[in-house]
Amino acid sequence: MAKVLIDPLSRIEGHLSIEIDVIGKRVTGAKSKGDMYRGFENILIGRNPIDANMITQRICGVCPISHAIASSKCLESAFGVIPGINGILLRNLILAANFIQSHILHFYHLAALDYVDIKAVLQYQGNDTQMKKIKTWAAKEIDTKATSLTAVSPFLPRYEGKDFYIKDTGLNIQTIANYVKALEIRTKAHKMATLLAGKIPHAASIVPGGITQKIDSGILDDYLELLEEVETFINKTYYEDVINIAQAFPEYLKLGSFNTFLTYGVFENESNTEYLFKKGYVKNKRVLKFKEDDITEHIRYAKFKGPGRSHPKKADTNPAPYKGGAYSWVKAPRYKNNAVEVGPLARIAVNYYSNDETVKSEVQTFLSRVGKKSNALFSVMGRHAARVIECKILCKEAKKWLTAIDLKANIRQPFIIPDNSEGYGMTEAPRGALGHWITIKNQKIERYQCVVPTTWNASPKDNYGNMGPIEQALLHAPITDLKNPIEAARIVRSFDPCLACAIHITDGNDTLYKYRVT
């Protein structure tokens, strides 16, 4: 048996290492190791509850809107406040823009580099329109003068091997040109969010009860103008690039499979009773009712001390860096004691098995284009497809939300901080299910806990020895070259891990490590 360590796994948010056991060029065991150590939840203890809304957004610069909304919902639950129609719709529009930019970022600027061949493109002698775009951009942004072509950041260095990358030079050129275009489109999606959120990242306007940003018809018109340009890119470019890469790498319509899913629901309707992407728990292709009480966090293999298993509202984040057997700073959340995948594929799966007509149609179209049956959805390429399908649906729905806003109605409901209370807020980040829990005592935060998407997906083994979703998805994957385990990297990146979100602990009294600088 050979042990392979990918440390660090690049092109993700935060610090993650993956250890795999390989026998006969197949993965037989895996460990997902969260290597970060940082502080958030304990920082909140003793503060005004309203501080949580701003501080928790700093957990992540990619998905701060989701944390703003989860925190607002958490506080609304504790305060007994229900946002009005405008508050719901405007939050939906801000979050939709954040979802779109995140999905585009992940596909083009994090994952696609595992498939395109930058060396073949830079050695190409043609001068067509797409190549001109690449050369113009490359002259400003990357070192194309390196004679060995080893410093063309962020494309190189990379794993090297025969048949690892797209063979068709034209497809390589097109995809890399779209990589460059996607930088511009992401900026426009950010601008959409900024129009309503005040600023990005870390929105200034999302608060308990709604939002504070003043809205007029001009702002909504500007949002729509940007939305239409972004939608064109999604439908004509992003979608086709996902199809092209899926067709070029059909084996990844099988690899990375996992089939138990959880979603909290996201993008409420105007009456705050239903979700565009429904909440639910999928097991054995059946959608079961979700119950918040069935969430637990396990810490047997995580570097924390305390009860081995607890509900988040009773949990603490007390570090134990030298704990025997522990191998990750990520806890192991479980639903009904099951490891579950969260994220875009989970949301699509819940809607698909709930017979949502729009999602079923989009899924069937994708499967038809790649010539596969429904099981192919639960794979590396299925995760990429789920993201672009979400983007397509969100663009259509955002137009409806824009027209439903009443400029004469309130955008925020008032609230009073109670002396003592508890609450929780649940939503979805681009990467999956996000929950915040609060306990208030004497109008101060006594306990605050977050369980974020990557805590679910990148979790270590639980108290019963069951592996986390990423760990399980790696099992049986082929590893062609032990020195270049690109197959494992592609599988892990398809989950879009964010370790910055997954780890939030601090303890000012303990010495964790000592370093000598010479």
Side-chain angles (χ1 to χ4, degrees), residues 187-248:
T187 301
K188 294 182 184 297
H190 273 312
K191 287 181 179 179
M192 288 162 56
T194 304
L195 286 167
L196 307 177
K199 70 183 187 72
I200 290 290
H202 313 135
S205 71
I206 299 174
V207 296
I211 78 165
T212 60
Q213 179 81 344
K214 186 176 180 181
I215 304 300
D216 58 36
S217 59
I219 288 175
L220 300 183
D221 288 343
D222 289 345
Y223 186 106
L224 178 60
E225 182 178 351
L226 290 165
L227 174 63
E228 288 177 338
E229 185 173 352
V230 170
E231 182 179 30
T232 298
F233 176 84
I234 289 167
N235 292 341
K236 294 186 177 180
T237 304
Y238 180 11
Y239 186 80
E240 293 303 320
D241 283 342
V242 172
I243 295 289
N244 289 336
I245 289 183
Q247 290 173 336

Side-chain angles (χ1 to χ4, degrees), residues 191-445:
K191 287 181 179 179
M192 288 162 56
T194 304
L195 286 167
L196 307 177
K199 70 183 187 72
I200 290 290
H202 313 135
S205 71
I206 299 174
V207 296
I211 78 165
T212 60
Q213 179 81 344
K214 186 176 180 181
I215 304 300
D216 58 36
S217 59
I219 288 175
L220 300 183
D221 288 343
D222 289 345
Y223 186 106
L224 178 60
E225 182 178 351
L226 290 165
L227 174 63
E228 288 177 338
E229 185 173 352
V230 170
E231 182 179 30
T232 298
F233 176 84
I234 289 167
N235 292 341
K236 294 186 177 180
T237 304
Y238 180 11
Y239 186 80
E240 293 303 320
D241 283 342
V242 172
I243 295 289
N244 289 336
I245 289 183
Q247 290 173 336
F249 297 88
E251 64 272 27
Y252 287 91
L253 286 156
K254 295 180 181 179
L255 294 179
S257 178
F258 195 81
N259 55 19
T260 305
F261 303 100
L262 179 69
T263 69
Y264 294 160
V266 68
F267 300 110
E268 294 96 325
N269 63 7
E270 295 171 45
S271 61
N272 203 17
T273 57
E274 296 290 340
Y275 299 94
L276 174 63
F277 297 113
K278 299 174 175 60
K279 60 181 172 181
Y281 167 56
V282 172
K283 188 173 184 180
N284 298 324
K285 299 183 179 181
R286 292 180 58 224
V287 180
L288 305 174
K289 188 176 180 179
F290 164 71
K291 296 181 181 179
E292 182 264 346
D293 288 342
D294 289 330
I295 298 171
T296 52
E297 288 187 294
H298 299 226
I299 60 169
R300 171 64 186 85
Y301 293 92
K303 297 178 182 181
F304 300 94
K305 55 189 175 184
R309 186 182 71 144
S310 59
H311 187 277
K313 69 181 178 182
K314 299 296 184 183
D316 295 302
T317 46
N318 297 316
Y322 308 113
K323 179 178 170 181
Y327 60 88
S328 179
W329 284 108
V330 179
K331 294 182 181 181
R334 296 294 185 261
Y335 184 73
K336 293 182 178 290
N337 289 324
N338 290 302
V340 294
E341 177 177 343
V342 301
L345 182 55
R347 291 187 291 265
I348 293 300
V350 169
N351 274 38
Y352 181 82
Y353 288 120
S354 298
N355 293 315
D356 179 273
E357 291 183 5
T358 301
V359 168
K360 290 205 81 165
S361 175
E362 288 288 353
V363 168
Q364 288 164 0
T365 299
F366 169 76
L367 293 171
S368 176
R369 290 284 304 275
V370 297
K372 299 292 182 180
K373 295 182 179 179
S374 60
N375 283 345
L377 185 66
F378 309 112
S379 65
V380 169
M381 288 301 161
R383 294 184 185 97
H384 293 304
R387 290 183 178 89
V388 74
I389 288 171
E390 278 196 337
C391 287
K392 291 183 69 178
I393 292 171
L394 283 173
C395 286
K396 291 180 181 178
E397 292 298 318
K399 293 177 182 179
K400 298 177 185 177
W401 297 329
L402 283 168
T403 59
I405 291 171
D406 180 358
L407 292 174
K408 296 180 181 179
N410 290 334
I411 58 175
R412 179 174 65 89
Q413 301 299 319
F415 58 81
I416 297 174
I417 301 174
D419 291 335
N420 303 290
S421 187
E422 291 185 347
Y424 65 90
M426 311 188 101
T427 187
E428 293 276 320
R431 294 172 174 90
L434 173 62
H436 287 207
W437 286 261
I438 192 171
T439 300
I440 298 172
K441 186 175 182 180
N442 298 325
Q443 294 192 328
K444 301 292 184 182
I445 297 174

